[in-house]
Amino acid sequence: MRDQVLAELRAALAAGGLLAGQVYSARSLAERYGVSATPVREAMQRLASEGAVEVVPNRGFRVAGLSDRDLAELAEVRTALEVPAVLGLVRRARTGSRGAAAAARGGRAESDARAAESGRCLTAAPGWQALRTVADTSVVAAGRGDRQGYAEADLAFHRGLLELTGNRQLTEAAVEMLRRSQAPVAGRPASPPSVLRATALQHVALLDALAEGEATLAERLLRDHLTRV
């Protein structure tokens, strides 16, 4: 039950359902989610350990709200984790495609053939088509201003992409950083749907670049996406 409530609270933070600076009692949140106060307190204590909320004695929990520094630091950590991992996917795909590209000897032609073949290797990976679906879902949710739907799709996209690396520890670490970055920002209004949609479209563009084996473009897109704070 605690994990279910924790997921609901995370979604509410990402969607703006819990506002930075506001104090919420365990009782009021329990009524909102139709549960007892105990799993709410346990979930909020977990969020407090992550810095998302602060304990207010005899009142409940205050939503801390991220600072600009928090966002920049989280973006830096996510970039350090995700960019090398995604570039590693391209390198592994290219290594596996060298034999197929060997027939295209001759400078630029060989390079283009290898990039195309590495893209085909990635798109054949289990989970790739699901990534396409999630990317499209994120665009639709962002376009209609569904912040919770976008946050869930964004999380699913980055998790799915990193799962292609096969590194479970890296995936969980990066997903945890993303969860933290989805908390509300103190003193900053929520991004309008147009900005959110532009960010979501980067998911699609990144997959397109990876499908073409364009490592340099993929790196640029991913760095821009992760540092868009």
Side-chain angles (χ1 to χ4, degrees), residues 71-111:
L71 282 178
E73 289 176 350
L74 286 165
E76 184 177 355
V77 174
R78 292 185 63 203
T79 299
L81 290 171
E82 295 194 38
V83 171
V86 171
L87 291 179
L89 284 175
V90 177
R91 285 195 300 270
R92 281 162 49 189
R94 286 194 171 186
T95 299
S97 67
R98 281 175 183 169
R105 297 292 180 189
R108 179 65 180 176
E110 180 180 357
S111 176

Coordinates of all heavy atoms in Angstrom, one line a residue, residues 71-111:
L71 N 17.8 21.8 -9.9 CA 17.5 21.4 -11.2 C 18.8 21.2 -12.0 O 19.0 20.2 -12.8 CB 16.6 22.4 -11.9 CG 15.1 22.3 -11.6 CD1 14.4 23.4 -12.4 CD2 14.5 20.9 -12.0
A72 N 19.7 22.2 -11.9 CA 21.0 22.1 -12.6 C 21.8 20.9 -12.2 O 22.4 20.3 -13.0 CB 21.7 23.4 -12.4
E73 N 21.8 20.7 -10.9 CA 22.6 19.6 -10.4 C 22.0 18.2 -10.8 O 22.8 17.3 -11.2 CB 22.7 19.6 -8.9 CG 23.6 20.8 -8.4 CD 23.6 20.9 -6.9 OE1 22.8 20.3 -6.2 OE2 24.5 21.7 -6.4
L74 N 20.7 18.1 -10.8 CA 20.1 16.9 -11.2 C 20.3 16.7 -12.7 O 20.6 15.5 -13.2 CB 18.6 16.9 -10.9 CG 18.2 16.8 -9.5 CD1 16.7 17.2 -9.3 CD2 18.4 15.3 -9.0
A75 N 20.2 17.7 -13.5 CA 20.5 17.6 -14.9 C 21.9 17.2 -15.2 O 22.2 16.4 -16.1 CB 20.2 19.0 -15.6
E76 N 22.9 17.7 -14.4 CA 24.3 17.3 -14.6 C 24.5 15.8 -14.3 O 25.2 15.1 -15.0 CB 25.1 18.1 -13.6 CG 26.6 17.9 -13.8 CD 27.5 18.8 -12.9 OE1 26.9 19.7 -12.3 OE2 28.7 18.6 -12.9
V77 N 23.8 15.3 -13.2 CA 24.0 13.9 -12.9 C 23.3 13.0 -13.9 O 23.9 12.0 -14.4 CB 23.3 13.6 -11.5 CG1 23.3 12.1 -11.2 CG2 24.1 14.4 -10.4
R78 N 22.1 13.4 -14.4 CA 21.4 12.6 -15.4 C 22.2 12.6 -16.7 O 22.3 11.6 -17.4 CB 20.0 13.2 -15.7 CG 19.1 13.1 -14.5 CD 17.7 13.6 -14.9 NE 17.1 12.7 -16.0 CZ 16.2 13.2 -16.8 NH1 15.7 14.4 -16.7 NH2 15.8 12.4 -17.8
T79 N 22.8 13.7 -17.1 CA 23.7 13.8 -18.3 C 24.9 12.8 -18.1 O 25.2 12.1 -19.1 CB 24.2 15.2 -18.5 OG1 23.0 16.0 -18.7 CG2 25.1 15.3 -19.8
A80 N 25.5 12.8 -17.0 CA 26.6 11.9 -16.7 C 26.2 10.5 -16.8 O 27.1 9.6 -17.2 CB 27.2 12.2 -15.4
L81 N 25.0 10.1 -16.5 CA 24.6 8.8 -16.5 C 24.0 8.3 -17.9 O 24.4 7.3 -18.4 CB 23.5 8.5 -15.5 CG 23.9 8.6 -14.0 CD1 22.6 8.6 -13.1 CD2 24.8 7.4 -13.6
E82 N 23.2 9.2 -18.4 CA 22.4 8.8 -19.6 C 23.2 8.9 -20.9 O 23.1 8.1 -21.8 CB 21.1 9.5 -19.7 CG 20.1 9.2 -18.6 CD 18.7 9.6 -18.8 OE1 18.3 9.6 -20.0 OE2 18.1 10.1 -17.8
V83 N 23.9 10.0 -21.1 CA 24.6 10.2 -22.4 C 25.6 9.1 -22.7 O 25.6 8.5 -23.8 CB 25.3 11.6 -22.4 CG1 26.1 11.8 -23.7 CG2 24.2 12.7 -22.4
P84 N 26.5 8.8 -21.8 CA 27.5 7.7 -22.1 C 26.7 6.4 -22.3 O 27.2 5.6 -23.2 CB 28.4 7.6 -20.9 CG 28.3 8.9 -20.2 CD 26.8 9.4 -20.5
A85 N 25.7 6.1 -21.6 CA 24.9 4.9 -21.8 C 24.3 4.8 -23.2 O 24.4 3.7 -23.8 CB 23.8 4.8 -20.7
V86 N 23.7 5.9 -23.6 CA 23.1 5.8 -24.9 C 24.1 5.8 -26.1 O 23.9 5.0 -27.0 CB 22.1 7.1 -25.1 CG1 21.6 7.2 -26.6 CG2 21.0 7.0 -24.2
L87 N 25.2 6.5 -25.9 CA 26.3 6.4 -26.9 C 26.9 5.0 -26.9 O 27.3 4.5 -28.0 CB 27.4 7.4 -26.6 CG 27.0 8.9 -26.8 CD1 28.1 9.8 -26.5 CD2 26.5 9.1 -28.2
G88 N 26.9 4.4 -25.8 CA 27.4 3.0 -25.7 C 26.5 2.1 -26.5 O 27.0 1.1 -27.1
L89 N 25.2 2.3 -26.5 CA 24.3 1.5 -27.3 C 24.6 1.6 -28.8 O 24.6 0.6 -29.5 CB 22.8 2.0 -27.1 CG 22.1 1.6 -25.8 CD1 20.7 2.3 -25.8 CD2 21.9 0.1 -25.8
V90 N 24.9 2.9 -29.2 CA 25.3 3.1 -30.7 C 26.6 2.3 -31.0 O 26.7 1.7 -32.0 CB 25.4 4.6 -31.0 CG1 25.8 4.8 -32.4 CG2 24.1 5.3 -30.7
R91 N 27.6 2.5 -30.1 CA 28.9 1.8 -30.3 C 28.7 0.3 -30.4 O 29.3 -0.4 -31.3 CB 29.9 2.2 -29.2 CG 30.4 3.6 -29.3 CD 31.6 3.7 -28.4 NE 31.3 3.5 -27.0 CZ 30.9 4.4 -26.2 NH1 30.8 5.7 -26.6 NH2 30.7 4.2 -24.9
R92 N 27.9 -0.3 -29.5 CA 27.7 -1.7 -29.5 C 27.0 -2.2 -30.8 O 27.3 -3.2 -31.4 CB 26.9 -2.1 -28.3 CG 27.7 -2.2 -27.0 CD 26.8 -2.2 -25.8 NE 25.7 -3.2 -25.8 CZ 24.8 -3.2 -25.0 NH1 24.7 -2.3 -24.0 NH2 23.8 -4.1 -25.0
A93 N 26.0 -1.3 -31.2 CA 25.3 -1.7 -32.5 C 26.3 -1.6 -33.7 O 26.2 -2.4 -34.6 CB 24.1 -0.7 -32.7
R94 N 27.2 -0.6 -33.7 CA 28.1 -0.5 -34.8 C 29.1 -1.6 -34.8 O 29.5 -2.1 -35.9 CB 28.8 0.9 -34.7 CG 28.0 2.0 -35.1 CD 28.8 3.3 -35.3 NE 27.9 4.3 -35.9 CZ 28.4 5.5 -36.3 NH1 29.7 5.8 -36.2 NH2 27.6 6.4 -36.8
T95 N 29.5 -2.1 -33.6 CA 30.5 -3.2 -33.5 C 29.8 -4.4 -34.1 O 30.4 -5.2 -34.9 CB 30.9 -3.5 -32.1 OG1 31.5 -2.3 -31.6 CG2 31.8 -4.7 -32.0
G96 N 28.5 -4.6 -33.8 CA 27.8 -5.8 -34.4 C 27.5 -5.7 -35.8 O 27.2 -6.7 -36.5
S97 N 27.6 -4.5 -36.4 CA 27.2 -4.3 -37.8 C 28.4 -4.2 -38.7 O 28.3 -4.0 -39.9 CB 26.4 -3.0 -37.9 OG 27.2 -1.9 -37.7
R98 N 29.6 -4.3 -38.2 CA 30.8 -4.1 -39.0 C 30.9 -5.1 -40.2 O 31.3 -4.7 -41.3 CB 32.1 -4.2 -38.2 CG 32.4 -3.0 -37.4 CD 33.5 -3.1 -36.5 NE 33.7 -1.8 -35.7 CZ 34.5 -1.7 -34.7 NH1 35.2 -2.7 -34.3 NH2 34.6 -0.6 -34.0
G99 N 30.5 -6.3 -39.9 CA 30.6 -7.3 -41.0 C 29.6 -7.0 -42.1 O 30.0 -7.1 -43.3
A100 N 28.4 -6.5 -41.8 CA 27.4 -6.2 -42.8 C 27.8 -4.9 -43.6 O 27.5 -4.8 -44.7 CB 26.1 -5.9 -42.1
A101 N 28.6 -4.0 -42.9 CA 29.0 -2.8 -43.6 C 30.3 -3.0 -44.4 O 30.6 -2.1 -45.2 CB 29.2 -1.7 -42.6
A102 N 31.0 -4.1 -44.2 CA 32.3 -4.3 -44.8 C 32.2 -4.2 -46.4 O 33.1 -3.9 -47.1 CB 32.9 -5.6 -44.4
A103 N 31.0 -4.6 -46.9 CA 30.8 -4.6 -48.3 C 30.8 -3.2 -48.9 O 31.0 -3.1 -50.1 CB 29.5 -5.4 -48.7
A104 N 30.6 -2.2 -48.1 CA 30.5 -0.9 -48.6 C 31.8 -0.1 -48.4 O 31.8 1.0 -48.0 CB 29.4 -0.1 -47.9
R105 N 33.0 -0.8 -48.6 CA 34.3 -0.1 -48.4 C 34.4 1.2 -49.2 O 33.9 1.2 -50.3 CB 35.4 -1.1 -48.8 CG 35.5 -2.4 -48.0 CD 35.9 -2.1 -46.6 NE 36.0 -3.3 -45.8 CZ 36.2 -3.3 -44.5 NH1 36.3 -2.1 -43.8 NH2 36.3 -4.4 -43.8
G106 N 35.1 2.1 -48.6 CA 35.3 3.3 -49.3 C 34.9 4.6 -48.7 O 33.9 5.2 -49.1
G107 N 35.5 5.0 -47.6 CA 35.3 6.3 -46.9 C 33.9 6.5 -46.5 O 33.4 5.8 -45.7
R108 N 33.3 7.6 -47.0 CA 32.0 8.1 -46.6 C 30.9 7.0 -46.8 O 30.1 6.8 -46.0 CB 31.6 9.3 -47.4 CG 30.3 9.9 -47.1 CD 30.2 10.4 -45.7 NE 28.9 10.9 -45.3 CZ 28.6 11.4 -44.1 NH1 29.4 11.3 -43.1 NH2 27.3 11.8 -43.9
A109 N 31.0 6.3 -47.9 CA 30.1 5.2 -48.2 C 30.1 4.2 -47.1 O 29.0 3.7 -46.6 CB 30.3 4.6 -49.5
E110 N 31.3 3.8 -46.7 CA 31.4 2.8 -45.6 C 30.8 3.3 -44.3 O 30.1 2.6 -43.6 CB 32.8 2.4 -45.4 CG 33.0 1.3 -44.3 CD 34.4 0.9 -44.1 OE1 35.3 1.4 -44.8 OE2 34.7 0.1 -43.1
S111 N 31.1 4.6 -44.0 CA 30.6 5.2 -42.7 C 29.1 5.3 -42.7 O 28.5 4.9 -41.7 CB 31.2 6.6 -42.6 OG 30.7 7.3 -41.5

